[in-house]
Amino acid sequence: MTEIDRLVARLRRYQGPVLTFMEVCGTHTMAIARQGLKQLLPDTIRLVSGPGCPVCVTPVGYVDHALALAAREEVLLTTFGDLMRVPGSRPGSAPAPSLQQASAQGARVQVVYSPLNALQLAREHPESEVVFLGVGFETTTPTIAAAVLQAEAEGLANFSVLSAHKTIPEAMVLLSGAEDLGLAGYLCPGHVSVILGTGPYEPLAAVHGMACAVGGFEAAEVLRALVALVDQVEQGTPRVDNLYPGAVRPEGNPRARALVERVFEPADAAWRGIGVIPHSGLAFRKKYAAFDAALRFPVSLPAPVEPKGCRCGEVLRGVLDPVACPLFGRVCTPENPVGACMVSSEGSCAARYHYTLEA
Ligand code: SF4
């Protein structure tokens, strides 16, 4: 009997009321779908995907803002690749624009692999305003903060960031109280926890009664974390178990967090499908306001319009299985995405599409 067989057998021995656990990490969502782990679970254990994909939770208004910046002659817009195909607002029957389309029509939009690449572009193009689209969770923000500090040290005045950064524990707290979800606990994110450590999840267990387990991405690592969650529920002792100790230290990475805290401060942030969550975003501190693209290039935009028929919001809250969206796989596919959850490589809809329809 393999370890995976033993772990699955343990989960199948669970006989109590249905338990719903949520993963809040896009890499977990893809790993779980790729390895077919949900199919191994008994009917008494549900694992739903939450708002763990940073591109997916970025509101359509941010894409509209990015498109408005891309339209400015002096701007060289830089972004991670996932954002390129996310549709912006689609008023009436007009086709939804995306950065990819803007680029095809002549806007200067460049995919980069790191904000440091954007910094290099700022050095090479002093005549341009290089704007980096800052979308990401705790794993991404330290490098963005480092890029800002480097720009400050070099006196690079033509580099700025349009910040839509988000922090995940606040969303977890909010969803822990959602009656329509009825969560029993969280498979806590692997990569984010490398930075955060386990401390930020303690209130989820102590105050909100959520079972919490940090897990890795291999099948056995995910299943070990699920077993820990079931153990906590059966024992009636919600706590934070670290089942990924090779990568996640209890204290996380204080140096990375210090970098972020130097440049950014907590701010309310809008999440697609969820709304504004207090203190779940990162805004530039006053000292670094010169690097804030939202301040440097203010735009006046009409109210954002979500893609018609797209139910990303419910998918991101974990209350709708992607296949239950009427557009899934028919109108909305990775080749012709209607919503962000089908675009991003970490999106729940893309994961279901690639590993169910294409499997
Ligand atoms: S399948 Fe497409 S339209 Fe439906 S929720 Fe997902 S991204 Fe939106």
Side-chain angles (χ1 to χ4, degrees), residues 307-313 315 320 322-323 325-329 332-333 337-343 348-350:
K308 198 173 172 198
C310 175
R311 297 178 66 180
C312 271
V315 169
L320 185 81
V323 297
C325 169
L327 306 188
F328 179 85
C332 181
T333 63
V338 175
C341 300
M342 189 60 93
V343 178
S348 300
C349 299

Side-chain angles (χ1 to χ4, degrees), residues 232-304:
Q232 290 182 39
V233 172
E234 286 189 329
Q235 293 158 9
T237 53
R239 58 183 182 271
V240 183
D241 286 334
N242 183 2
L243 278 297
Y244 198 29
V248 175
R249 290 174 297 170
E251 72 279 17
N253 185 335
R255 285 182 63 191
R257 292 200 304 275
L259 267 181
V260 174
E261 282 160 24
R262 206 167 137 194
V263 176
F264 297 106
E265 60 189 6
D268 298 350
W271 295 58
R272 190 192 290 253
I274 298 176
V276 174
I277 306 179
H279 304 297
S280 68
L282 293 175
F284 277 93
R285 291 189 183 278
K286 261 198 190 119
K287 182 178 177 199
Y288 297 99
F291 297 98
D292 185 346
L295 290 178
R296 281 172 66 158
F297 310 106
V299 294
S300 170
L301 293 167

